[in-house]
Amino acid sequence: MKLTDYVAEILAKNGVDVIFGYQGSSISHFIDSISRNAQIQFVETRHEQAAAFAANGFALENGSIGVAVSCSGPGAINLMAGIADAYYDSLPCLFITGQVSAREMRKDMEMRQLGFQESDVVSIAKPITKYAVTVCEPEKIAYELEKALHIMREGREGPVLLDVPHNVQGSQIDVEKLVHFQAKTPVKREVEEYETISRVADCIMHSERPLLLLGGGCRGLKGDSLLHEFIKKMKIPVVSSYRGKDVFDNNDMFYLGTIGAYGDRCANWAAKYSDCLIVLGSRLDGRQVPDGHDELAGAGKVIVVDIDETELRNMSDRFVKIKMDVKVFINQLYPYFFNFRQSNHQWLNVVKGWKQRYPDDKEYEIKEGINPNKFLRVLSTLVPEKTFFTLDVGQNQLWGNVSLKVGPYQTLLQSCGLGSMGFALPAAIGGYYAKRKLPICITGDGGFQMNIQELQTVSCYHIPIKIFVLDNQSLGLIRIYQDKALGGRHNGSVEGFGNPEYYSLSKAYGLRYEKIDQDNYNEILKKIFALDEAFLVEVCISPHSTNYPEPTYLSTIDNQSKELTLEARKQIFMEAYQLERE
C-alpha cells in the first residue's frame, strides 16, 4: 500500500473529512491520496497561511481535528502563523509538510541547504508545536502518526507536525508489519484535588458576590446542561475572556460581557468587587488583567481551574488552584448544589443595573460614519440562529467582543493568543466546512487585505459567506497609539496605508457587493441574509474611530477611559458592597 494512501485512510478513520492546503511538488503524493479518498474533501486555498488558519477555524468550530498540508521550504514556512495560532489557543490541529527526498536533505548541520526548497521545518516549528518530527523511514509512519494524534489531544490540546520527505511519501509499505504507538495509561488524579472541590463549594455557598469567569478552556462546555443549571440555580453572574465569549448565551440575563483592558465596564467591576471568583480555563493574561492579579476579587477568594499545571504555577499564590479539566470540575461541583436554595438576587440586580446604565453602544464617540458597536449589536439580532462569526485583529476585534451578542447555537472564532491579522477570512472558510453553518466574517480593512486572495477560494467553492469590512481607512489601533505616544505621526497606519475599491474587487471575484454608509441599514442586512450567496459588504467607519472603554494610563482596570467622575465611581463602590449612601 502506498504510504500516503495509508495516511489518508487513517485520518478518515479518525473523523477527518476535510483537509486544507496548497499544491506543490513535494506534497503532491499526499494531496493525490487525499483527493482519491472518498471520505475526505481537499480544499485548495490560495496561500498556505490561509490553509493553516482554515484548519484553525475548522478545529474551533467543530471541536475536532483541523488538518492542513503544504510543500517544503516556503510552503511549510508559510504555515507557521497558523501553527503558532493553534499552539497559543490550544487547538487540535495536524500539519503535514512535504520535504525534499532524503538523498537531498543536508547531512552536515553547518550546511545551510542542499536540496531545492529544503528547510529544517521541524526545528522552526518545535517551539510552537506539542510534537514535530521528520519521518524518514516508511515503516515508522503508523507509529509517528498515531503518536502525533495522541499528543495533540492529550491534556491541553495543541498542534503537531509531521514532515515527510518526497521519496518516503511515494514508498510502498506492508500495513501488517507496521509498528504502532502505545499510549501510556494515564495516572489517576490526586484525591486532594477532588477534596478541594468541597471547600470550593463551601466558599461559593457562603459568598455574597460570586462570579464565574469562562475562558477558552471552557469551549467544550458550550451547551452543557450542568453548567447552565448551576448558573441559574445559584444565580451567579457570568463574565468571559475573549476565547470564552461564545460558551454562554450572550443574551442571557446572567451574562455581563468580556473582562479586560478593552472589556465591558460592568464585567470588570464585577471581577474587581466579587468576593468569590471562579475562573474556568483562563490564563488571566495581561490583556485581561493588565494591572495584575491582585486587582481580581479584591480581598475575596479566587479559584482557578485549569488543565495546564504550568499556567497554574505562574498565577498568584493567593489563588486556590485546581489542576483539572473544567468539565470534570463542573460535574464534581454540581452535586453540592443540587438541593441548595440560597440565591444571589441582590448582587445579580446590582451588576445588571451597571450593564443597563453603561450600554456598549453608547461608548462610541464619533458622530460621523457608522457606529461600529451599534452596527454589530444590530447585526447580532438579524443573523440566522445557526451561524458563526469570525473576527480579525484590531479595532474590529475589540468592537466585536464588546457588542456582538453570540447566541446559544452560535460560535465566535478569533485569534486571541497570537492575535494575527488576516485570520478572519480563512478561518471563516474552515469553519464553514466544519458544520456547513452560515459564516459571518467581520474584519478590518487592514486584516482583510492580508489574506484577500482567499476571495477566490470563496468564489471557487461557492461558499455563501457574508464578509463585513469595517473600513476606517487606517490601522485604527496603531493610529490611536501613535496619537498618544508618537505625537500623532501616523506612518504606516494612515500614511502609506490604503484600500482597494471594494465594488470593483467584488466584481473581480464574482461576489455580491453592498455598501453601508447610513444608519438605516436594517433592510440591507435582511436582504444579505436572505440570499444564499457570498457578499462583500463595505461598512464605512470614521477614519477617527475610537475604542471605548479602553485602558486609562497609570490607572486600574475598573477605571477605564472615558473615565467616570469620582462621584460615579463612588456610586459603583457603594452599590457593589450594598452600602447606603452617606
Side-chain angles (χ1 to χ4, degrees):
M1 186 179 193
K2 186 177 175 181
L3 182 142
T4 52
D5 290 344
Y6 173 80
V7 172
E9 185 177 288
I10 296 302
L11 291 178
K13 287 179 179 177
N14 277 271
V16 175
D17 57 5
V18 179
I19 294 176
F20 306 93
Y22 193 85
Q23 185 61 275
S25 60
S26 66
I27 197 66
S28 56
H29 281 292
F30 264 115
I31 291 177
D32 180 65
S33 294
I34 292 164
S35 301
R36 288 188 295 103
N37 189 299
Q39 294 174 270
I40 303 176
Q41 179 180 3
F42 175 69
V43 175
E44 170 113 334
T45 57
R46 268 55 189 176
H47 193 286
E48 292 90 354
Q49 185 190 91
F53 283 153
N56 297 164
F58 185 96
L60 274 166
E61 174 63 16
N62 211 31
S64 59
I65 308 170
V67 184
V69 300
S70 80
C71 68
S72 63
I77 291 170
N78 282 342
L79 289 175
M80 290 301 151
I83 294 174
D85 182 77
Y87 186 68
Y88 298 132
D89 281 354
S90 310
L91 308 180
C93 290
L94 169 66
F95 297 94
I96 300 176
T97 55
Q99 183 57 271
V100 299
S101 292
R103 66 180 179 276
E104 297 179 309
M105 294 174 67
R106 61 181 181 151
K107 306 299 186 290
D108 183 344
M109 291 301 103
E110 293 185 2
M111 178 185 286
R112 294 191 181 185
Q113 185 186 48
L114 179 60
F116 172 67
Q117 291 191 331
E118 178 194 8
S119 64
D120 185 0
V121 64
V122 167
S123 293
I124 297 170
K126 272 190 174 177
I128 50 172
T129 55
K130 291 185 71 178
Y131 185 66
V133 66
T134 299
V135 185
C136 289
E137 300 169 59
E139 61 271 18
K140 289 188 176 179
I141 188 61
Y143 177 88
E144 293 294 359
L145 178 59
E146 292 163 9
K147 182 178 181 180
L149 293 175
H150 172 75
I151 291 173
M152 177 186 69
R153 305 296 312 236
E154 183 184 35
R156 182 176 177 180
E157 294 180 330
V160 292
L161 182 143
L162 295 183
D163 185 49
V164 188
H166 186 255
N167 65 306
V168 174
Q169 294 176 39
S171 61
Q172 294 293 317
I173 56 175
D174 186 341
V175 176
E176 300 298 323
K177 294 182 179 180
L178 292 178
V179 177
H180 295 277
F181 173 74
Q182 297 294 325
K184 294 180 180 178
T185 304
V187 178
K188 290 185 178 181
R189 298 190 181 277
E190 295 294 328
V191 175
E192 288 80 7
E193 290 179 341
Y194 294 99
E195 291 177 346
T196 304
I197 294 176
S198 65
R199 297 197 295 273
V200 170
D202 186 67
C203 177
I204 297 171
M205 288 176 187
H206 291 91
S207 65
E208 296 180 351
R209 300 182 302 280
L211 184 69
L212 195 62
L213 168 55
L214 304 177
C218 292
R219 291 188 67 84
L221 288 175
K222 186 173 179 66
D224 185 271
S225 59
L226 282 188
L227 175 67
H228 286 252
E229 286 177 33
F230 171 69
I231 290 168
K232 294 184 185 298
K233 178 181 283 288
M234 295 300 297
K235 293 185 166 49
I236 291 184
V238 177
V239 298
S240 72
S241 68
Y242 279 14
R243 288 210 63 228
K245 178 175 169 64
D246 60 356
V247 174
F248 192 72
D249 181 4
N250 293 183
N251 299 295
D252 194 285
M253 63 180 287
F254 293 101
Y255 183 74
L256 302 181
T258 54
I259 67 165
Y262 292 92
D264 297 81
R265 293 184 192 272
C266 60
N268 285 327
W269 292 332
K272 180 180 178 66
Y273 293 118
S274 168
D275 63 354
C276 181
L277 174 62
I278 306 104
V279 182
L280 300 183
S282 177
R283 58 194 181 89
L284 301 175
D285 70 333
R287 214 178 200 198
Q288 290 182 69
V289 194
D291 40 0
H293 290 169
D294 288 341
E295 288 297 318
L296 286 172
K301 289 279 189 185
V302 179
I303 297 141
V304 184
V305 183
D306 203 293
I307 201 169
D308 190 335
E309 190 170 350
T310 305
E311 295 289 355
L312 292 172
R313 189 167 60 242
N314 285 282
M315 289 185 181
S316 173
D317 290 337
R318 79 178 179 94
F319 293 178
V320 176
K321 305 173 188 180
I322 302 175
K323 182 182 180 294
M324 189 177 290
D325 182 275
V326 293
K327 193 177 183 75
V328 174
F329 174 79
I330 289 294
N331 286 335
Q332 293 288 327
L333 181 67
Y334 181 76
Y336 288 94
F337 298 92
F338 190 75
N339 295 312
F340 193 65
R341 300 193 186 285
Q342 178 186 332
S343 63
N344 303 285
H345 286 288
Q346 272 190 298
W347 169 236
L348 184 61
N349 288 336
V350 166
V351 294
K352 284 167 59 181
W354 293 340
K355 187 172 184 178
Q356 292 166 3
R357 197 185 314 159
Y358 297 97
D360 57 87
D361 57 340
K362 301 294 185 186
E363 297 279 5
Y364 188 74
E365 281 195 326
I366 310 299
K367 301 302 180 187
E368 63 184 6
I370 300 298
N371 177 334
N373 292 108
K374 180 182 175 184
F375 174 78
L376 293 174
R377 174 170 280 207
V378 171
L379 178 74
S380 304
T381 67
L382 296 177
V383 297
E385 186 180 57
K386 293 188 178 181
T387 187
F388 71 94
F389 303 95
T390 64
L391 288 173
D392 217 275
V393 173
Q395 283 187 308
N396 70 92
Q397 186 175 34
L398 308 185
W399 292 322
N401 277 283
V402 168
S403 296
L404 271 179
K405 303 304 171 190
V406 184
Y409 304 107
Q410 299 168 343
T411 46
L412 175 61
L413 319 184
Q414 52 185 325
S415 173
C416 293
L418 183 65
S420 182
M421 293 175 68
F423 177 85
L425 178 54
I429 292 170
Y432 171 73
Y433 280 100
K435 292 184 178 177
R436 304 284 175 160
K437 289 173 16 182
L438 177 67
I440 310 295
C441 172
I442 298 162
T443 181
D445 47 342
F448 176 58
Q449 293 184 75
M450 287 194 170
N451 272 310
I452 200 168
Q453 76 284 338
E454 297 312 312
L455 293 178
Q456 181 58 31
T457 307
V458 169
S459 179
C460 177
Y461 291 97
H462 307 290
I463 300 171
I465 186 173
K466 318 302 181 187
I467 304 165
F468 294 91
V469 182
L470 305 187
D471 179 11
N472 61 3
Q473 303 162 52
S474 66
L475 300 178
L477 273 184
I478 305 303
R479 168 179 50 77
I480 291 171
Y481 179 76
Q482 289 168 325
D483 285 338
K484 294 176 180 177
L486 300 173
R489 295 181 294 277
H490 296 143
N491 298 301
S493 66
V494 178
E495 297 167 18
F497 183 81
N499 293 327
E501 206 287 306
Y502 293 108
Y503 173 77
S504 299
L505 185 70
S506 65
K507 294 304 175 189
Y509 285 103
L511 311 180
R512 297 283 294 262
Y513 169 82
E514 288 288 347
K515 184 174 185 176
I516 294 177
D517 56 4
Q518 301 291 328
D519 279 335
N520 55 339
Y521 42 71
N522 287 42
E523 292 307 314
I524 296 175
L525 291 176
K526 289 176 182 177
K527 181 183 82 170
I528 290 168
F529 295 130
L531 296 174
D532 189 31
E533 299 178 57
F535 270 83
L536 177 59
V537 186
E538 179 183 2
V539 184
C540 298
I541 310 295
S542 168
H544 308 292
S545 56
T546 60
N547 282 91
Y548 291 125
E550 68 167 7
T552 299
Y553 184 61
L554 294 179
S555 189
T556 53
I557 196 170
D558 59 302
N559 184 32
Q560 294 163 281
S561 294
K562 303 170 284 188
E563 288 187 75
L564 303 186
T565 65
L566 187 60
E567 179 65 20
R569 291 171 64 193
K570 183 177 180 181
Q571 181 180 355
I572 297 297
F573 176 85
M574 300 292 284
E575 291 169 343
Y577 290 104
Q578 298 163 29
L579 301 173
E580 295 294 330
R581 298 301 302 273
E582 295 176 358

